[in-house]
Each structure stands twice: as C-alpha cells, then as structure tokens.
Amino acid sequence: MTQTLTLRRPDDWHLHLRDGAMLAAVAPHSAGFGRAIIMPNLVPPVVTGAQAAAYRDRILAALPEGAPLQPQMTLYLTDATDPADVVAAFKAGIIRAVKLYPAGATTNSDSGVTDMDRVRPVLEAMAEHGITMCVHGEVTDPAVDIFDREAVFIDTVLDPIRRKVPGLRVVMEHITTSDGVDYARSGGDDLAATITTHHLVINRNAILAGGIRPHYYCLPVAKRESHRLALRQAATSGEGRFFLGTDSAPHPDTAKLQACGCAGCFTAPNTMSILAQAFQDDNALDRLEAFTSLNGAAFYRMAPSDDRITLVRLDTPAPYPATISAGGEDVTVFDPGFPLYWHLEDV
Ligand code: NCD
Ligand code: ZN
C-alpha cells in the first residue's frame, strides 16, 4: 500500500533567496512553502523598510503565479540602525523580524554589529513592540576555535543580551550544537531555535573525511556526531521551541569550489523529502508537522497554514536535480548521502 503523509503547508523560518538571476532561479524551489523568513544579507544589505519592501516585490515577481509563499522580510541590524525605523517598518507590516549578524561572522556580514552595546536602544524598542531578533550565534574572535564559536557566543553575547533586555524575543538561528539545544530549552516562550535540514543529516565528517567536500560547508559549520544527534532529538521531539529554518543558501559552484569557497548549502529543492526520511528513521513522522508547520508559526504569533501538502513514499528513490542553473551558472543541490523515497506532490 502506498504510504502518504499529509501535513499543513510547511514554513521556512530562515531562507536565503538572493537577488537577480539567482533569485529567479531559486525562488520557485521554495514557492511551495507557506511563509518564509527572508534573510537580508544581500550586497548591499537590506537595512531600511523601503529596501525590504522593494526586495519583497522582487521576490513576489520571481515566484510562479499562484505560489503560496508569503515572504516575511527582515532588516539587517547594523551599528547605525535607527530604532524608530525598525518599529515603523514592523508596524507597517513590512518586516517580521530583525537579523543580527555579528560583523564578519558569515557571508555578506561585513556591515553587521561590532558591539552589542551600540544597538541596545534598538533591542529595547524591539522588546517593547514584540519584534523578534533572529540571531546568527557565532563569535568572530579569531582566537576562538570555529567549532566552539556557537557555545562561546551563547555564554558571552546571547545570554548577557537577554539579561540586559528582558522580554526580547529571540530566535537562535540554525543551531548546530547540544549547547544551543540546551540553551534554547532554558528560556521561556520568548526564546526559540531554528534547525536546518542539513544539520540534521550531516556531521563534520561529511565535509572533511576522505577529501574536502565544499558543498557540505556552511556556517555555522557542522559539528561532531553527538551534536547532530542532539539536534535530531530536538527537532523530532515536537517541542514548540524548535522549528525548521532551512538556511538554504545557494552559491554558484564557481564560488563554492575555490581555494577559499563560500559557506552555504542549497537545500530548498529536496528539503521536505530529506526531513520526511529523517523523521521516519527516528519513528517520528507524527511530529514532522510540528517541526515544519506549527511551531514556528506559533512562535511568530501567526496562525498555522490552512492548506495541506502531501508527501508520497515511492518504491524507488525519488529523483531530484543534482544541480540547477542560475544565470548560466550551476548551483549544486544538497545531497543528503542517502536515497530519498518521499516525494512532495506538486502544489
Ligand atoms: C549563508 C549565506 O550564504 O548567505 N551561508 C551559510 O553558510 N549559512 C549565511 C548564513 O546564514 O550564515
Ligand atoms: Zn542563513
């Protein structure tokens, strides 16, 4: 008998859609999600409400007609962000959240925050108005080992901010460690964490063992297996504080396959197939909907989607493209390293 799985339409609470030819190529692959929080790390970054509104229009124009996706825009927090602009953009319904990148932490983060005390007035205004801060949680101190940067960020930056600005709603984006899981669990209903598809299925061996594999390199970098298992347990637990943010982050292969290659995994085309397999492997298919379609909406104080998607389990592996083409360049699709039997029916 054919196995099918019907879920409320999933949301993606952390997505990079880029701009221009890349946007045109990748947007259709996320079009079947309900809501997606759109990352603002364009070049130059999205820092004003007007820029966010214009970017939203470009995204809508890149989506196939009738696509369900509703882009939820974010502003890129800089040392110069004006609290009044953030509040005005939020009240006007232009933005859903503000993104904190510590300066230099990841792709296109040079304009990020250099000192948390400089943005205290913005954070206080956000706490007052219930505006969520999405946090890239890694320190940038070159003296800190890259595999420790998330844990050190939690202790030295995130926890102090949350104490100084009580009530600030925080999403720890793309957590990669058991430290991140534990800290997310230590908070009240003003704290949550997104988990990516790829961090549920790879550990750092995928990047480094038996040869270097740039398509598995992303930031925060995948950690050791015990951390991956902690993420799997959190994602499949059904706990409301954990939800999907794919962090699908496409780069042309020419930018990935370099002596100094870009960070980012492009998971949009096969995310739901990978997640269904992972949750099935953990006997947690009944909790997939909480992770992909319920928990994030509840945190962002939105209703869950009313419509449904269907995944069908095929007898033979479901094909997906190894690469897509963007502006004449190949972009490699994330390979989870196992066959995908779950196929997402067309929206
Ligand atoms: C993201 C990108 O390419 O924009 N890369 C990544 O490895 N995740 C930036 C980010 O989210 O850190
Ligand atoms: Zn990201």
Side-chain angles (χ1 to χ4, degrees):
M1 202 182 78
T2 313
Q3 213 181 339
T4 64
L5 185 61
T6 299
L7 308 174
R8 284 180 190 263
R9 187 175 296 289
D11 301 308
D12 184 349
W13 300 103
H14 181 129
L15 176 64
H16 298 268
L17 286 179
R18 315 300 193 202
D19 215 344
M22 185 65 92
L23 168 62
V26 302
H29 292 281
S30 292
F33 282 84
R35 280 71 53 106
I37 286 265
I38 308 298
M39 288 296 129
N41 63 332
L42 304 182
V43 188
V46 178
V47 293
T48 66
Q51 288 169 340
Y55 184 30
R56 182 171 189 276
D57 289 346
R58 297 199 295 282
I59 294 169
L60 291 174
L63 289 169
E65 211 173 307
L69 189 73
Q70 298 165 24
Q72 308 290 306
M73 308 311 291
T74 57
L75 288 185
Y76 186 119
L77 187 62
T78 75
D79 288 354
T81 300
D82 179 352
D85 283 352
V86 171
V87 173
F90 182 72
K91 283 194 170 166
I94 298 168
I95 61 156
R96 177 69 56 190
V98 170
K99 177 68 191 251
L100 165 67
Y101 289 104
T106 187
T107 310
N108 304 336
S109 62
D110 297 348
S111 323
V113 173
T114 60
D115 177 356
M116 291 311 297
D117 284 333
R118 295 203 183 162
V119 294
R120 266 284 277 290
V122 185
L123 304 188
E124 279 160 5
M126 287 167 59
E128 187 186 331
H129 294 275
I131 306 172
T132 297
M133 179 168 75
C134 298
V135 180
H136 184 110
E138 289 189 287
V139 291
T140 55
D141 180 352
V144 178
D145 189 280
I146 190 164
F147 293 104
D148 298 333
R149 288 181 180 188
E150 181 170 301
V152 173
F153 181 90
I154 291 167
D155 289 345
T156 64
V157 183
L158 183 57
D159 191 60
I161 300 175
R162 292 188 57 248
R163 285 174 197 277
K164 285 180 196 165
V165 189
L168 180 63
R169 296 179 68 71
V170 171
V171 178
M172 303 167 67
E173 298 292 310
H174 43 49
I175 55 170
T176 59
T177 59
S178 59
D179 311 80
V181 170
D182 293 346
Y183 189 74
R185 282 189 171 131
S186 76
D189 60 9
D190 54 357
L191 185 64
T194 58
I195 304 177
T196 75
T197 307
H198 48 285
H199 288 116
L200 290 174
V201 298
I202 61 160
N203 62 31
R204 62 195 189 182
N205 284 2
I207 313 166
L208 295 169
I212 190 155
R213 291 186 179 76
H215 292 303
Y216 293 120
Y217 172 62
C218 68
L219 286 171
V221 71
K223 309 298 191 298
R224 65 170 63 242
E225 177 66 357
S226 55
H227 292 296
R228 186 188 72 89
L229 293 174
L231 298 172
R232 278 283 275 254
Q233 195 281 328
T236 58
S237 69
E239 283 168 78
R241 63 182 74 249
F242 300 111
F243 42 86
L244 174 65
T246 64
D247 194 20
S248 180
H251 292 277
D253 284 357
T254 48
K256 294 279 300 172
L257 307 175
Q258 286 273 350
C260 182
C262 291
C265 297
F266 178 48
T267 53
N270 54 11
T271 272
M272 289 308 296
S273 300
I274 297 171
L275 290 173
Q277 188 66 55
F279 276 63
Q280 182 167 48
D281 290 347
D282 290 3
N283 291 317
L285 272 181
D286 57 335
R287 292 193 284 272
L288 180 59
E289 186 178 52
F291 182 65
T292 61
S293 320
L294 301 176
N295 297 349
F299 180 85
Y300 280 101
R301 298 172 169 155
M302 300 167 82
S305 274
D306 271 338
D307 51 344
R308 305 282 195 280
I309 57 145
T310 301
L311 289 146
V312 180
R313 196 180 153 89
L314 307 175
D315 294 333
T316 53
Y320 61 89
T323 60
I324 66 153
S325 176
E329 297 234 53
D330 281 351
V331 180
T332 292
V333 177
F334 179 77
D335 172 1
F338 49 80
L340 297 178
Y341 291 92
W342 286 99
H343 175 68
L344 182 59
E345 291 203 324
D346 285 345
V347 288

